[in-house]
Amino acid sequence: MSALRHVVCALSGGVDSAVAALLLRRRGYQVTGVFMKNWDSLDEHGICTADRDCEDAYKVCQILDIPFHQVSYVKEYWNDVFSDFLNEYEKGRTPNPDIVCNKYIKFSCFFHYAVDNLGADAVATGHYARTSLDDEEVFQQKHVKRPHGLFRNRFEVRNPVKLLQAADSFKDQTFFLSQVPQDALRRTIFPLGGLTKDFVKKIAAENRLQHVLQKKEVSALGQGAACPGPGAPGVMGRLSSSTCSLGLASSSLSRTTQFWELIKAPQTDHPALYRDLLRTNRVHWIAEEPPAALVRDKMMECHFRFRHQMALVPCVLTLNQDGTVWVTAVKAVRALALGQFAVFYKGDECLGSGKILRLGPSAYTLQKGKNRARATPEGAADGPGQHPTP
């Protein structure tokens, strides 16, 4: 019966997606591999790295004896991911193109291609993540197009699918999946969710997939950034300045543009690098609605992170009427930067994320304010210059 289930697996040419396809094949599903070309780039020898990855993905399909398809989303990637990347840098922010790529390319363009063009019952990727559904429950989902309104049908009976952290906490990639739409998540399988990276490599080595073992999977923009963003270690505050340029190169863009002035702190643990308050844009909740406790109380305790693999930070969320949230960290955290995504967790569940658009005052600013307050003669009138600003 399971052989009739058709799963379309995204293949990058790397070991994770290759083993994901292998495991699906072992489960008896009808598997189709799809390679997405999202970027045109040449290595130091003038060879298109995307073409090389495509060849590796095709070889995986040959070894597994499954159909192979190639699709190009270069235009979509440029419009929805890379343009956003440039715009964020122009504003002096620190973008995360991997989160945006998953939202608009893998779990939108690829998902709809798999379902609408290839007749997939479900899609799969090599991400280290899990959901609250087992395979059979995934196959029971029906693809229903969302209405073109601001609000979905409130009478619709729907239990949202949860996005859960992987068993391998070090490899967990829910951070990058925190903007994935619920409709796509409901029909997605993550075969590697319960495995460790070492075990995945062992499976590849034992199943004739040695050609993908040594490959390093990076984002298309991994070679694009030539200098750190504003949130990089040691970069924050108004202490001393130096200028840096960001070099970006592609088939249609090869120039160096100066986007902003970087401010260097004297040391990596300077108080100017620490903040405990931020505000996001409208949060994308995986369940499509804010958690019930947050709606009821307007405040909720949870954890968040703003970089992949960083330790989760205890915090309190405050929900605003426009769907944005204030995030108050229990303890000041280092190197927060505008444009990063604050990704929220409750236990092992990834709740969703919001882009950081505003930062509270740094520990350095707060300390200066306290020092000024102590230096002010008793009874002196307070003026606008007496108070620190975010």
Side-chain angles (χ1 to χ4, degrees):
M1 178 178 67
S2 60
L4 300 177
R5 307 297 196 185
H6 182 201
V7 183
V8 175
C9 185
L11 294 178
S12 67
V15 63
D16 293 333
S17 59
V19 172
L22 167 65
L23 295 177
L24 292 168
R25 191 84 167 84
R26 283 183 175 177
R27 294 179 193 178
Y29 303 137
Q30 175 191 344
V31 182
T32 298
V34 173
F35 176 82
M36 288 172 275
K37 184 177 183 181
N38 300 330
W39 191 254
D40 286 317
S41 61
L42 303 178
D43 64 14
E44 64 273 18
H45 303 295
I47 299 174
C48 180
T49 54
D51 290 343
R52 187 164 52 198
D53 291 338
C54 183
E55 291 175 3
D56 289 335
Y58 176 65
K59 187 174 180 181
V60 168
C61 289
Q62 286 184 309
I63 293 171
L64 300 182
D65 191 25
I66 61 175
F68 172 81
H69 292 261
Q70 178 185 357
V71 290
S72 175
Y73 295 127
V74 172
K75 179 180 178 180
E76 291 83 354
Y77 190 93
W78 181 276
N79 291 335
D80 295 328
V81 182
F82 191 66
S83 293
D84 174 77
F85 174 84
L86 290 179
N87 291 335
E88 290 293 281
Y89 263 116
E90 287 174 348
K91 295 174 183 176
R93 297 176 179 171
T94 304
N96 193 310
D98 291 313
I99 291 179
V100 180
C101 178
N102 281 326
K103 178 178 183 177
Y104 291 110
I105 306 300
K106 293 178 184 174
F107 291 89
S108 181
C109 295
F110 164 70
F111 173 76
H112 290 293
Y113 171 77
V115 172
D116 299 334
N117 293 62
L118 300 181
D121 296 308
V123 300
T125 71
H127 287 100
Y128 289 82
R130 298 178 296 125
T131 73
S132 56
L133 299 181
D134 60 31
D135 285 10
E136 193 56 35
E137 290 174 314
V138 171
F139 292 125
Q140 292 172 359
Q141 304 299 313
K142 295 182 179 179
H143 181 51
V144 179
K145 291 187 178 181
R146 296 292 302 279
H148 293 288
L150 290 177
F151 305 101
R152 65 184 179 88
N153 185 352
R154 294 286 178 171
F155 298 100
E156 178 185 0
V157 177
R158 191 175 195 185
N159 294 320
V161 174
K162 297 179 180 179
L163 176 63
L164 306 175
Q165 294 187 77
D168 186 341
S169 58
F170 182 76
K171 284 298 297 180
D172 173 63
Q173 293 176 306
T174 52
F175 178 86
F176 299 114
L177 300 170
S178 60
Q179 289 271 315
V180 168
Q182 174 73 195
D183 286 345
L185 190 65
R186 297 181 77 87
R187 299 184 68 178
T188 299
I189 298 173
F190 298 115
L192 308 187
L195 307 180
T196 64
K197 182 73 174 189
D198 288 342
F199 191 59
V200 167
K201 289 182 177 179
K202 184 174 182 291
I203 293 174
E206 294 174 351
N207 289 274
R208 300 184 296 147
L209 295 173
Q210 290 86 351
H211 72 289
V212 296
L213 267 177
Q214 304 304 320
K215 295 191 63 174
K216 184 178 181 181
E217 296 189 13
V218 296
S219 68
L221 297 179
Q223 300 175 351
C227 72
V235 183
M236 189 78 70
R238 297 186 176 279
L239 306 169
S240 63
S241 64
S242 64
T243 302
C244 174
S245 293
L246 178 71
L248 298 167
S250 74
S251 58
S252 56
L253 177 66
S254 58
R255 58 190 174 88
T256 301
T257 306
Q258 180 176 307
F259 285 135
W260 75 80
E261 189 176 40
L262 294 181
I263 309 300
K264 292 184 179 179
Q267 65 269 355
T268 59
D269 60 348
H270 194 278
L273 295 169
Y274 288 83
R275 284 172 163 79
D276 62 4
L277 181 66
L278 64 92
R279 184 171 180 165
T280 71
N281 65 353
R282 186 178 182 87
V283 173
H284 170 84
W285 300 105
I286 296 294
E288 297 181 328
E289 306 283 352
L294 183 58
V295 173
R296 182 185 65 246
D297 303 329
K298 304 303 178 187
M299 299 180 71
M300 183 184 77
E301 293 182 354
C302 66
H303 290 77
F304 85 106
R305 61 165 52 108
F306 53 93
R307 287 194 304 269
H308 177 48
Q309 293 182 338
M310 72 172 285
L312 287 171
V313 179
C315 67
V316 175
L317 301 186
T318 303
L319 181 64
N320 303 309
Q321 288 186 343
D322 60 359
T324 66
V325 297
W326 282 104
V327 183
T328 305
V330 172
K331 184 178 180 180
V333 292
R334 182 178 175 278
L336 278 170
L338 300 176
Q340 293 173 313
F341 282 88
V343 182
F344 308 115
Y345 293 84
K346 193 75 171 178
D348 65 348
E349 179 183 359
C350 177
L351 301 174
S353 65
K355 185 181 293 185
I356 301 174
L357 297 186
R358 186 175 175 184
L359 297 174
S362 69
Y364 178 75
T365 300
L366 291 174
Q367 187 60 48
K368 284 175 61 180
K370 291 179 181 178
N371 292 340
R372 284 199 300 268
R374 283 195 292 266
T376 301
E378 187 175 349
D382 289 333
Q386 303 296 326
H387 301 281
T389 56

